[in-house]
Amino acid sequence: MFDVIQAGEHTWYIENPARVGVYLDGTDAWLIDGGYSDTAAELISGILTARGWKLKGIIVTHSHPDHSGGCSWLQRKTGCGVYAHGLEVALTQFPIIHPSISYGGFPCRSIRGKGMMAEPCAVQEMAGNIPAGLEIIPLPGHFFDMVGIRTDDDVVFLADSICSETILKRYVITFLYDAEAYVGTLEKIADMKAALFVPSHVAPVGSIRELALLNKANVLSVAGDITDWCGTPVTFEKLLQKVFTEYKRAMNFEQYCLVGSTLRSYLSWLKDSGRVQTVFRDSEMLWCKTPLS
């Protein structure tokens, strides 16, 4: 853990629960994500100092706390800039939005901790503010405006756009915000070429196509399951129960919020594409499969 591995002339990555990239622009170091916590940030800072690298900025691929949790500590310690893309700027700066979205209202205290929200920090838009040797690759779907980064060593950091086969088999349904956009992102990734792909939670690989298509097939399979479960009109809560029981997931308050939010995202996609519809009976909203015409 926290081993430093060179991936190119200017490109490194630090092994930790959410893999952190390092890009050297001269002696200035740019992190790709800021670590999952203050503890991780302190260890990362020590690594940079030991190598004589000065932290210039942190590029936040997306605002989930395992990627942005160390940004505030590093910014206070070094005065470095923190940069994100699009709506991720606001989401990183105002992390209370995260549990609010997942819960669907003001979040209970139990989901206002570090597992669901990072400490806030000052954030700027990354476009025009990061080194010229870095290319921003939009990768929406897992979260609002998540991005990947391609370095001039042809190393591509993929953030949370890819899950391992092991994770897919274990959990089946994984967190996403926009199912339709996510499928598009997976199709784009499947066609990408690079010297090395570095996902945040999957071992780096030279070819990503097979795993990207496996992730896409998993999303389509989940969507098919949800559609089938709407064969008889059903409430959201009963659908959520079905997700947990059929996929053998353990429910607690945090998982209720995260899996529930993901289920709503699938239902939005299925409703917009005409595969399911809603009906209202006895003051209940029911989801049902759209009849074939």
Side-chain angles (χ1 to χ4, degrees):
M1 196 65 71
F2 291 92
D3 293 333
V4 186
I5 298 170
Q6 188 164 12
E9 183 180 354
H10 308 115
T11 309
W12 304 67
Y13 60 86
I14 300 171
E15 289 286 10
N16 73 106
R19 195 169 286 110
V20 170
V22 183
Y23 178 77
L24 295 183
D25 187 23
T27 58
D28 288 338
W30 287 77
L31 293 181
I32 300 169
D33 287 332
Y36 63 89
S37 67
D38 289 357
T39 300
E42 190 169 1
L43 290 168
I44 291 166
S45 179
I47 289 168
L48 300 184
T49 299
R51 292 174 175 266
W53 298 340
K54 180 182 177 182
L55 180 58
K56 180 71 172 180
I58 305 169
I59 299 165
V60 180
T61 60
H62 65 298
S63 51
H64 282 160
D66 56 330
H67 296 261
S68 62
C71 291
S72 181
W73 189 96
L74 289 165
Q75 191 172 64
R76 291 195 307 269
K77 173 79 173 179
T78 68
C80 70
V82 177
Y83 305 89
H85 174 63
L87 285 171
E88 301 296 336
V89 175
L91 290 160
T92 306
Q93 196 162 354
F94 303 102
I96 187 64
I97 298 171
H98 287 265
S100 300
I101 290 169
S102 296
Y103 180 62
F106 182 73
C108 307
R109 187 176 292 110
S110 61
I111 56 169
R112 297 203 305 269
K114 292 182 178 179
M116 292 283 278
M117 51 185 286
E119 287 187 44
C121 57
V123 189
Q124 301 175 60
E125 171 61 49
M126 66 175 68
N129 288 313
I130 63 175
L134 300 177
E135 176 192 352
I136 301 166
I137 305 171
L139 300 174
H142 173 72
F143 214 43
F144 285 81
D145 284 322
M146 189 177 78
V147 299
I149 298 292
R150 186 188 295 268
T151 76
D152 52 13
D153 294 311
D154 200 28
V155 176
V156 176
F157 291 87
L158 286 173
D160 280 358
S161 55
I162 294 287
C163 293
S164 69
E165 184 175 3
T166 300
I167 290 297
L168 295 178
K169 286 181 177 178
R170 181 178 178 184
Y171 295 107
V172 186
I173 189 168
T174 60
F175 181 86
L176 55 83
Y177 172 71
D178 183 336
E180 183 175 13
Y182 186 49
V183 169
T185 284
L186 291 170
E187 291 172 344
K188 180 165 83 171
I189 291 171
D191 291 335
M192 285 184 185
K193 306 293 183 185
L196 185 69
F197 292 97
V198 185
S200 291
H201 304 287
V202 182
V205 293
S207 175
I208 202 70
R209 180 174 178 81
E210 184 177 350
L211 191 53
L213 293 177
L214 181 66
N215 276 257
K216 177 186 172 182
N218 185 77
V219 172
L220 298 179
S221 176
V222 170
D225 287 344
I226 294 169
T227 303
D228 289 342
W229 297 335
C230 293
T232 300
V234 60
T235 65
F236 172 82
E237 290 291 334
K238 284 296 183 182
L239 269 179
L240 185 59
Q241 182 186 46
K242 191 78 170 174
V243 168
F244 274 92
T245 56
E246 292 293 323
Y247 297 154
K248 298 178 173 59
R249 299 289 299 266
M251 185 182 281
N252 56 32
F253 200 90
E254 182 175 307
Q255 288 303 306
Y256 173 87
C257 293
L258 293 173
V259 178
S261 174
T262 300
L263 175 58
R264 288 186 179 92
S265 295
Y266 271 99
L267 288 168
S268 292
W269 178 36
L270 294 172
K271 188 174 188 298
D272 288 346
S273 58
R275 284 172 281 179
V276 302
Q277 61 184 337
T278 55
V279 295
F280 295 87
R281 296 177 186 167
D282 298 325
S283 299
E284 282 189 322
M285 186 174 78
L286 305 174
W287 292 89
C288 57
K289 188 186 292 191
T290 302
L292 294 175
S293 56

